[in-house]
Amino acid sequence: MKTKPLFIVISAPSGCGKSTLIDMLLQQYFDIEYSISCTTRAPRGEEEDGLDYHFKTKERFEELVAQDAFLEYACVHGNYYGTLREPIEDALAHGSSVILDIDVQGAAKVRERVRALPDTDPMKIGYVDIFITPPSMEELRDRLVGRGTDSAAEIEKRLANAEGEMEKAGEYMFQVTNDDLGMAYRRLCDLIDALSGRM
Ligand code: 5GP
């Protein structure tokens, strides 16, 4: 079935289950490509270079900024994160959809850029942004602690950031609450199916 290539931007405070939801989508929708971001933060747990992130030194990251390689970049929790422009343009040109997992600052920059594009640009045609919310801040804290990948200080920093990120939720076209993983996933699939013309 021929479907419309989507340019999907997803944001959420860390610990909202966003990565899990995105992994589930990628396993079901083979025509959606994940945009692998560059970051200056150190790999966590099982993360692999070139798969989860392109891990870069600060110097290399700054070179890429100077070369205008990024569609957007931002400093999140004290590290740089950036979305490379070329893989997204290539994927959309080949008829695939692309999914970006970026923070609220990055999403705001992408939104602004897309708005300024001509109506015929594939990024503008396929654009959709979605904010995943936690059921509550208490639940978010429990999930971050349970994940066991971040120090206590890191968790406090992420929770403080989450408050600010939640204030931006209204800027997104859609919001999905991850109260129940299966239900949140179903809502995401319904959105993608409707927007890409799968149903
Ligand atoms: P983490 O360190 O937990 O993998 O990611 C921290 C935050 O950085 C998350 O909110 C994630 O969405 C965001 N992030 C990951 N890649 C990018 C990117 O390329 N650009 C921006 N602006 N944020 C990103």
Side-chain angles (χ1 to χ4, degrees):
M1 191 197 341
K2 183 116 179 64
T3 55
K4 176 172 137 185
L6 297 178
F7 178 36
I8 309 164
V9 173
I10 298 198
S11 303
S14 34
C16 281
K18 176 184 52 176
S19 309
T20 308
L21 287 165
I22 291 176
D23 284 347
M24 290 164 81
L25 284 175
L26 294 172
Q27 277 170 33
Q28 179 162 349
Y29 295 85
F30 296 121
D31 58 343
I32 300 183
E33 290 183 24
Y34 180 66
S35 160
I36 302 167
S37 295
C38 295
T39 183
T40 59
R41 86 148 160 75
R44 246 192 342 235
E46 308 266 282
E47 285 179 339
E48 276 184 47
D49 186 37
L51 203 65
D52 301 285
Y53 280 106
H54 299 294
F55 294 100
K56 304 284 181 200
T57 60
K58 192 156 174 274
E59 292 68 34
R60 180 64 191 130
F61 195 97
E62 283 167 354
E63 271 172 30
L64 289 166
V65 171
Q67 290 162 10
D68 196 27
F70 293 120
L71 178 66
E72 64 73 36
Y73 70 95
C75 188
V76 188
H77 312 137
N79 290 299
Y80 280 122
Y81 293 80
T83 308
L84 292 169
R85 182 202 314 271
E86 210 174 88
I88 297 174
E89 289 172 348
D90 287 351
L92 293 174
H94 290 114
S96 294
S97 293
V98 190
I99 199 160
L100 269 63
D101 166 352
I102 61 176
D103 84 313
V104 293
Q105 308 167 69
K109 288 180 200 163
V110 173
R111 200 176 293 129
E112 208 171 289
R113 285 208 153 187
V114 166
R115 210 169 278 155
L117 291 171
D119 289 346
T120 49
D121 192 288
M123 278 197 206
K124 190 160 187 170
I125 294 171
Y127 185 77
V128 53
D129 55 25
I130 305 167
F131 191 90
I132 314 273
T133 56
S136 67
M137 291 306 281
E138 292 72 38
E139 178 80 11
L140 188 61
R141 176 184 294 273
D142 290 350
R143 287 188 197 173
L144 284 174
V145 171
R147 187 160 84 170
T149 50
D150 299 297
S151 66
E154 185 67 25
I155 289 174
E156 288 315 313
K157 192 158 75 177
R158 282 170 188 261
L159 281 170
N161 283 348
E163 306 252 4
E165 287 165 339
M166 298 280 285
E167 284 168 15
K168 307 279 184 205
E171 295 174 8
Y172 289 70
M173 292 161 79
F174 299 99
Q175 291 182 38
V176 171
T177 303
N178 188 4
D179 39 7
D180 172 272
L181 187 65
M183 295 223 318
Y185 180 59
R186 200 56 259 155
R187 284 183 219 126
L188 273 180
C189 292
D190 287 348
L191 267 177
I192 289 171
D193 291 345
L195 293 165
S196 62
R198 278 183 175 82
M199 55 187 205

